[in-house]
Amino acid sequence: MTLAFPHSKIISRGSELRIKGSTPEIVRINEVVNHLLDHYHKYGKVTPETVQGYVNRRPDEPAAHEADSEIIIYGIKGEPIKPRSPNQKRMVELAAQNDLLFAVGPAGTGKTYLAVAMAVHALKNKLVKKIVITRPAVEAGESLGFLPGDLKEKIDPYLRPIYDALEDMVPSEKLKFYLEKNIIEIAPIGYMRGRTLHNAFVLLDEAQNTTAMQMKMLLTRLGPHSRMIVTGDRSQIDLPKRQKSGLIDALEILSGIEGVGVAEFFDRDVVRHKLVKRIINAYEKAEGGNHEELRNGEKF
């Protein structure tokens, strides 16, 4: 910053900055510093590129980071996490408008990752006091009883995508603290019974594998000042063939209810490797494109 203001001297002492120089430069430096403070409080990170962006900004134009209102948070490596497709953008908009949001679509469309980002944003900005992430303990043809270890050790592999997303967004020591203090709680859906979730951001992942009773139970846990995002994929239902998915049941029952939003994703929204989109298309073609008839499919 000193190179950008050659006629001024900036001295850092503890938590204070002292600026000496011409009045116009002092005013400008003060503006830049205030913008950087606002940026840090909003996104939790300031990079050299961030500083450069504010320094180079003309007084009559918004800074690049201010103008990009789609950024949800910055990852631990400084990369912006934001919607990468029109339907991801729609998901973020609907989440802001509704306390309960269903995000439904095929694998690889970024539903869970985006939901975790919004939850972390809410926690960092003190909009909620905790994050609760849950999912049903059901997988294709597998039984938890035959897996080694205690319940946590059995469940953790199924929650790995959630941990991966959190590790992209929260520094490791802070994440460890959050998990130890239950500020971020990750648990199977059965652990939610009987609770009321106050001041929480609740995320139900793999919701297509809930039963109707499990879905109703979780949706009615929502307490004051809380919000919930439910993600699922109609084509990846691993329940017994005659048992109706709680996700499909809820979408039918809650259709048109005020405060409930639905974000739909399609194969064109896949943001993984380009081959994933082709794979999904191929399977849909082989199955006749009827998502609700697919059962016991392998996860991509």
Side-chain angles (χ1 to χ4, degrees), residues 37-292:
L37 287 171
D38 290 342
H39 182 99
Y40 178 79
H41 290 308
K42 184 175 182 180
Y43 299 116
K45 193 176 187 71
V46 171
T47 66
E49 291 76 18
T50 308
V51 177
Q52 195 65 43
Y54 282 105
V55 168
N56 292 340
R57 179 178 69 97
R58 295 197 312 269
D60 60 341
E61 69 174 359
H65 295 276
E66 287 180 325
D68 195 347
S69 59
E70 294 183 356
I71 296 174
I72 302 171
I73 57 171
Y74 281 87
I76 60 172
K77 295 180 181 179
E79 73 283 2
I81 297 173
K82 60 182 180 180
R84 296 173 58 190
S85 73
N87 281 328
Q88 282 195 0
K89 184 177 180 181
R90 177 68 173 153
M91 177 180 169
V92 174
E93 292 170 350
L94 286 171
Q97 298 165 7
N98 299 278
D99 287 337
L100 172 60
L101 174 68
F102 290 89
V104 185
T109 50
K111 307 179 301 294
T112 298
Y113 196 83
L114 208 58
V116 173
M118 287 188 275
V120 172
H121 169 82
L123 182 64
K124 283 186 173 182
N125 287 274
K126 300 183 179 179
L127 302 176
V128 296
K129 292 184 178 178
K130 69 180 303 180
I131 296 171
V132 178
I133 302 174
T134 186
R135 64 177 289 177
V138 177
E139 292 295 326
E142 296 176 12
S143 171
L144 292 176
F146 292 99
L147 296 176
D150 58 22
L151 182 59
K152 183 179 184 302
E153 291 170 331
K154 291 178 179 182
I155 291 295
D156 273 358
Y158 298 110
L159 298 170
R160 192 65 250 172
I162 303 293
Y163 285 109
D164 288 344
L166 286 169
E167 287 167 1
D168 280 353
M169 303 172 197
V170 184
S172 58
E173 287 302 315
K174 200 163 194 176
L175 178 58
K176 182 180 178 182
F177 171 81
Y178 283 158
L179 291 169
E180 288 176 348
K181 299 297 182 181
N182 274 334
I183 296 171
I184 296 179
E185 180 183 353
I186 305 175
I189 194 169
Y191 278 38
M192 301 297 116
R193 191 174 302 278
R195 300 177 60 182
T196 301
L197 302 171
H198 297 279
N199 293 297
F201 197 115
V202 185
L203 169 58
L204 169 59
D205 191 36
E206 299 289 341
Q208 74 275 2
N209 287 328
T210 60
T211 64
M213 289 184 63
Q214 285 176 324
M215 178 64 78
K216 180 181 178 182
M217 179 273 292
L218 184 69
L219 295 180
T220 55
R221 300 307 93 199
L222 206 59
H225 310 295
S226 293
R227 60 183 68 180
M228 182 184 296
I229 295 180
V230 176
T231 64
D233 178 359
R234 293 185 184 93
S235 71
Q236 297 286 348
I237 299 173
D238 298 319
L239 295 169
K241 192 170 184 178
R242 296 183 183 275
Q243 190 165 30
K244 189 174 185 179
S245 165
L247 174 63
I248 293 174
D249 190 57
L251 289 171
E252 293 172 355
I253 292 172
L254 301 179
S255 176
I257 300 294
E258 185 179 355
V260 179
V262 179
E264 291 276 2
F265 290 85
F266 306 94
D267 54 12
R268 64 177 178 269
D269 298 307
V270 171
V271 293
R272 291 182 184 171
H273 192 286
K274 61 185 179 182
L275 272 178
V276 174
K277 189 180 297 186
R278 298 172 190 168
I279 291 169
I280 291 172
N281 286 335
Y283 271 87
E284 286 182 353
K285 185 177 180 180
E287 297 290 343
N290 189 343
H291 288 192
E292 295 187 16

